[in-house]
Amino acid sequence: MNILVLNGPNLNMLGIREPDIYGHATYADLCGMIQGEADRLSVSAEFYQSNHEGDLVDAIQGAYGKKDGIIINPAAYTHTSVALLDAVKAVGIPTVEVHISDPDQRDEFRKVSYIRKACVATIKGHGLEGYLEALRLLCANKTV
Ligand code: DQA
């Protein structure tokens, strides 16, 4: 299996940004953790982070015909982006939405997720472990 792991804006600042919410591990630590689980599961993982909505759309489109699953933390674009929703719908690749925190327990404006409609599952509030859960879920449901 080939999995694409996408992270949206400000997630490159993990370890620096609001550690009380997002913890002390860095983006590199996160990728290392996911890679470790991917190795354990014998799947291939590719990582991409961008602060730019269009770049994330391009990455989703680029996965068409190449990837079997997408794990995405769209970060702030969760709450604003119809373009990301449409991109996931367009490629039809099983996609899991992940959030480190639980946006539903935070500000009102974080309760909306546009991309959720196109995702096979949402994992939120489980910290970085949520990405590993998403990977295991995609591997367990190869035909979701
Ligand atoms: C986040 C939650 C979003 O509301 C926020 O904008 C982020 C990170 C999370 O992982 O908890 O940047 O997606």
Side-chain angles (χ1 to χ4, degrees):
M1 276 191 99
N2 292 305
I3 305 293
L4 178 63
V5 183
L6 291 178
N7 278 286
N10 301 306
L11 291 167
N12 55 318
M13 298 290 282
L14 281 178
I16 297 168
R17 85 181 277 216
E18 302 179 86
D20 47 320
I21 299 176
Y22 300 111
H24 292 278
T26 64
Y27 175 69
D29 294 335
L30 170 64
C31 294
M33 272 176 68
I34 300 169
Q35 186 61 60
E37 187 68 0
D39 291 346
R40 198 185 67 77
L41 295 164
S42 301
V43 297
S44 154
E46 186 186 338
F47 301 91
Y48 182 67
Q49 187 278 331
S50 178
N51 294 323
H52 305 280
E53 186 177 14
D55 288 347
L56 294 165
V57 170
D58 288 345
I60 294 166
Q61 290 185 8
Y64 181 72
K66 298 194 185 100
K67 303 292 179 189
D68 308 298
I70 297 173
I71 296 169
I72 184 167
N73 183 345
Y77 292 137
T78 308
H79 318 302
T80 61
S81 181
V82 177
L84 289 179
L85 166 69
D86 287 349
V88 172
K89 280 177 149 177
V91 296
I93 299 170
T95 298
V96 179
E97 174 191 17
V98 173
H99 299 283
I100 298 166
S101 69
D102 182 352
D104 293 326
Q105 304 297 321
R106 297 176 61 192
D107 317 88
E108 268 313 297
F109 61 82
R110 292 183 205 275
K111 291 186 177 156
V112 173
S113 168
Y114 286 93
I115 206 166
R116 192 158 302 169
K117 262 187 130 174
C119 293
V120 295
T122 296
I123 298 169
K124 54 189 175 69
H126 295 184
L128 302 189
E129 175 67 24
Y131 290 84
L132 308 188
E133 290 172 28
L135 190 56
R136 292 195 284 267
L137 191 149
L138 285 170
C139 290
N141 299 280
K142 288 185 182 130
T143 54
V144 276

